[in-house]
Amino acid sequence: MHIVVTGGAGFIGANFVRRTVATRPDVRITVLDALTYAANEASLDEVRERIDFVKGSIADPAVVDEVVAGADAVVNFAADTHNDNSLSDPWPFVDTNIRGTAVLLDAVRRHDVRLHHISTDEVFGDLPLDAPERFTEDTPYRPSSPYSASKASSDHLVRAWVRSFDVRATISNCSNNYGPYQHVEKFIPRQITNILSGERPKLYGAGANVRDWIHVDDHNDAVWTILDRGEIGETYLIGADGERSNREVLRTLLEVMGRPADDFDVVPDRAGHDLRYAIDSSRLRRELGWQPTHADLDAGLRDTVEWYRRNRAWWEPGKAGVEAAYARRETAR
Ligand code: NAD
Ligand code: TDX
């Protein structure tokens, strides 16, 4: 089997490539990645000999056509992914997430190649803080940010190409991922690397917002489950029942890292900040037999802290630039 992994130098894509190389020696992998600021080629160092790598954008029809021709499947992780960035400049999100997905769809249609499109639970908007309800495959789309609206658009495009042109595609919407190789702009790595750099963690507002955390390996196992057994044209929600407020996650990180519980700064809140995400993944579990294996979020956070401690060379070069951009944005607000 020959798969094209777009966005394979990013957080989830690189973990997917590494895991696939380790567990499925029969799978040939071509990574297509534009190597934006969010990519880190070092994430692929240990598997580089085992894969083909093409630098290029999913929004470039010529490159995409060449890479997709002859593949059996495309797994589309490529996207602009940070909500905060989408608030200051939405255009790369429109270009990659919407136009890029359309270019990919055209290519898989032309070459009759299977597509699995990676999406997010943010397409559903948010849920009230103190309510039992969770997102399901039937929840209406109600995205809040330019990022989540662009991901919602991409999902609609995939469904349109399935229905109108019989493209063989599946979609998954996953909750918040954590684990190794995540960019330091994101919540958990930002706080861990702040502490490791002698800076205080930064909590948006009161920290009451809830995210539903899943280990990146559980997400990627679910993606393979859908590639293996998913029904064409269908959507599956991926989540591991890991709901926690940002304040609670930060408390755990401070404790694990031996810092006092109040050793953080409260900074101005994100505009339009979604309150709560929560995934009901019973369809994926019932119909395809997937189960998460990293059920213990505290243990997963401890391992993640340990990974950033041991891999300073991976994150340190980009850290100052990310913090400078956050500081600029804070003063602009
Ligand atoms: P990331 O920002 O860490 O990595 C994105 C990768 O895509 C980078 O390597 C970047 O260079 C590449 N890329 C960006 N624009 C490109 C383009 N035009 N052409 C080719 N490559 C391009 O993102 P991530 O956190 O690994 O997310 C991967 C996917 O999973 C995204 O589609 C995202 O929406 C989705 N997702 C993420 C989460 C999460 O918690 N991180 C949760 C649910 C869904
Ligand atoms: O410094 C911070 N302080 C803080 O309190 C940062 C960076 C974030 N936060 C809060 C905002 C969110 O409530 O933490 C929560 C998580 O923030 P992010 O890591 O930016 O993730 P989120 O906005 O929830 O989106 C993530 O999950 C869904 C990914 O970035 C998306 O790509 C994915 O689709």
Side-chain angles (χ1 to χ4, degrees):
M1 187 182 188
H2 176 198
I3 60 171
V4 172
V5 180
T6 71
F11 164 46
I12 308 175
N15 276 288
F16 180 83
V17 169
R18 296 172 65 93
R19 199 161 173 78
T20 302
V21 166
T23 58
R24 298 184 178 235
D26 50 322
V27 174
R28 182 181 151 205
I29 300 173
T30 300
V31 167
L32 172 64
D33 197 297
L35 296 181
T36 69
Y37 83 92
N40 192 332
E41 281 188 273
S43 309
L44 297 173
D45 275 352
E46 286 151 32
V47 295
R48 197 59 192 249
E49 303 289 291
R50 305 270 304 273
I51 62 171
D52 294 314
F53 186 92
V54 177
K55 182 180 175 203
S57 170
I58 59 163
D60 178 339
V63 176
V64 167
D65 192 78
E66 201 176 313
V67 171
V68 167
D72 297 300
V74 175
V75 188
N76 181 30
F77 291 96
D80 240 302
T81 61
H82 195 33
N83 273 301
D84 291 325
N85 293 345
S86 83
L87 296 168
S88 38
D89 181 10
W91 293 107
F93 293 75
V94 172
D95 214 47
T96 288
N97 303 0
I98 304 178
R99 197 166 166 278
T101 302
V103 169
L104 269 183
L105 282 163
D106 243 11
V108 295
R109 177 189 178 197
R110 218 168 16 256
H111 298 288
D112 189 22
V113 170
R114 162 85 191 271
L115 172 71
H116 181 68
H117 179 64
I118 305 291
S119 193
T120 169
D121 58 0
E122 296 192 18
V123 299
F124 304 119
D126 60 358
L127 295 163
L129 276 182
D130 297 309
E133 59 196 279
R134 301 193 289 171
F135 299 135
T136 73
E137 284 79 3
D138 299 320
T139 303
Y141 276 38
R142 199 171 55 90
S144 316
S145 74
Y147 162 70
S148 48
S150 69
K151 291 297 291 187
S153 309
S154 68
D155 294 4
H156 290 317
L157 288 171
V158 174
R159 293 200 182 93
W161 259 249
V162 168
R163 169 127 181 197
S164 305
F165 308 125
D166 290 325
V167 158
R168 291 180 293 129
T170 41
I171 298 174
S172 54
N173 299 85
C174 188
S175 59
N176 282 59
N177 286 219
Y178 73 93
Y181 304 101
Q182 186 169 27
H183 196 279
V184 296
E185 70 188 354
K186 302 294 186 343
F187 178 59
I188 289 175
R190 184 182 185 203
Q191 314 315 336
I192 296 172
T193 56
N194 272 9
I195 297 170
L196 292 175
S197 312
E199 299 288 328
R200 281 156 72 93
K202 310 289 178 201
L203 190 65
Y204 291 172
N209 304 58
V210 170
R211 296 295 182 265
D212 187 355
W213 294 100
I214 183 172
H215 192 278
V216 63
D217 285 346
D218 280 334
H219 180 184
N220 284 329
D221 283 350
V223 170
W224 264 114
T225 301
I226 297 165
L227 279 167
D228 284 339
R229 299 194 288 280
E231 205 180 312
I232 295 301
E234 291 300 321
T235 292
Y236 299 91
L237 263 52
I238 306 173
D241 303 329
E243 272 190 76
R244 229 173 251 194
S245 73
N246 297 335
R247 210 172 35 227
E248 289 168 329
V249 170
L250 183 54
R251 189 186 305 135
T252 305
L253 294 177
L254 287 164
E255 195 182 306
V256 166
M257 299 183 76
R259 307 298 308 161
D262 60 353
D263 195 11
F264 63 88
D265 293 331
V266 171
V267 296
D269 208 350
R270 173 185 287 171
H273 195 173
D274 279 342
L275 288 176
R276 171 175 162 252
Y277 306 138
I279 287 265
D280 176 351
S281 59
S282 46
R283 175 178 198 201
L284 180 64
R285 296 174 194 233
R286 193 180 57 245
E287 292 183 11
L288 304 187
W290 170 83
Q291 285 282 354
T293 58
H294 295 265
D296 184 345
L297 180 56
D298 287 338
L301 291 175
R302 273 197 300 277
D303 290 349
T304 305
V305 167
E306 201 44 38
W307 190 87
Y308 282 90
R309 261 196 227 285
R310 286 170 191 266
N311 289 278
R312 291 187 92 108
W314 183 88
W315 59 265
E316 244 166 3
K319 177 69 181 168
V322 168
E323 287 308 311
Y326 271 121
R328 273 198 305 278
R329 244 180 275 163
E330 230 177 84
T331 42
R333 259 189 259 156

